[in-house]
Amino acid sequence: MMMRSVTMVIAALAMAGCASQVVTDYDTQVAFDRYSSWAFSSHPEETGFKSLDSRRVESVLERELAAKNLSRQPEDQADLLVSYQVIEQERLDSYGFSYGVGFSHRPFGWGIATAPPTREVIEGKLVVELVDRSNEQVVWRATSKRYLNEDQSPDYRRELIDDVVREMFNQYPPQMH
């Protein structure tokens, strides 16, 4: 009985480790094997300097697209335009302990408790889109379920971006069913 419980726990942990950390979507009508080149999409509304994370994302995208035998070309000659963004989201993070006391006298009881302390955390999820340049339609999109936040070290952010983009492109080109 004990061995069965240990085996089930190990199997559950292994399955949890295999859970995908990205979600992809794609146009089922597109023949992805016809694409052979790419370029970063230029956005006229983008001005200013590239962030450190942008440089990290672009570096990993270049590597992953090359591994898919897609060559980088000038934007006006590429089959695919690559667009990415880090979308900021707010969430509340609870930390510390909550305290409570209670009294009971059958069948009634009374209690009071404090809520745990919370703080607002701003996180960013990476979204990558591949756009068919000929018709300006998104043909493939990947979204990360793992988040960047300002508390992470530069090394951790680099590793996280590397892992997420690699996993995204493990699912490109999509397997048509």
Side-chain angles (χ1 to χ4, degrees), residues 66-166:
K68 298 297 181 179
N69 294 320
L70 295 169
S71 64
R72 187 169 183 182
Q73 298 293 323
E75 187 174 352
D76 63 342
Q77 298 173 16
D79 300 326
L80 291 170
L81 299 178
V82 178
S83 174
Y84 67 90
Q85 61 182 330
V86 176
I87 300 173
E88 288 188 355
Q89 296 181 313
E90 295 177 12
R91 75 171 171 84
L92 293 178
D93 185 26
S94 61
Y95 60 95
F97 298 98
S98 62
Y99 303 95
V101 292
F103 303 98
S104 176
H105 190 314
R106 291 188 188 165
F108 301 103
W110 180 84
I112 188 168
T114 64
T118 60
R119 64 182 172 147
E120 185 178 286
V121 176
I122 297 176
E123 299 178 318
K125 70 177 179 178
L126 178 63
V127 177
V128 175
E129 292 181 327
L130 301 183
V131 177
D132 185 314
R133 188 181 60 82
S134 66
N135 61 14
E136 297 185 353
Q137 298 292 313
V138 174
V139 294
W140 184 85
R141 176 183 169 108
T143 305
S144 172
K145 291 184 188 178
R146 294 172 63 191
Y147 295 93
L148 294 168
N149 69 51
E150 49 198 37
D151 294 338
Q152 297 164 336
S153 71
D155 287 338
Y156 183 84
R157 293 172 78 85
R158 182 184 41 75
E159 289 175 22
L160 177 61
I161 290 169
D162 190 85
D163 290 346
V164 165
V165 174
R166 184 180 332 106

Side-chain angles (χ1 to χ4, degrees), residues 23-39:
V23 176
T24 59
D25 191 10
Y26 58 92
D27 184 338
T28 59
Q29 304 302 310
V30 170
F32 287 89
D33 59 351
R34 70 184 174 118
Y35 298 122
S36 62
S37 61
W38 69 277

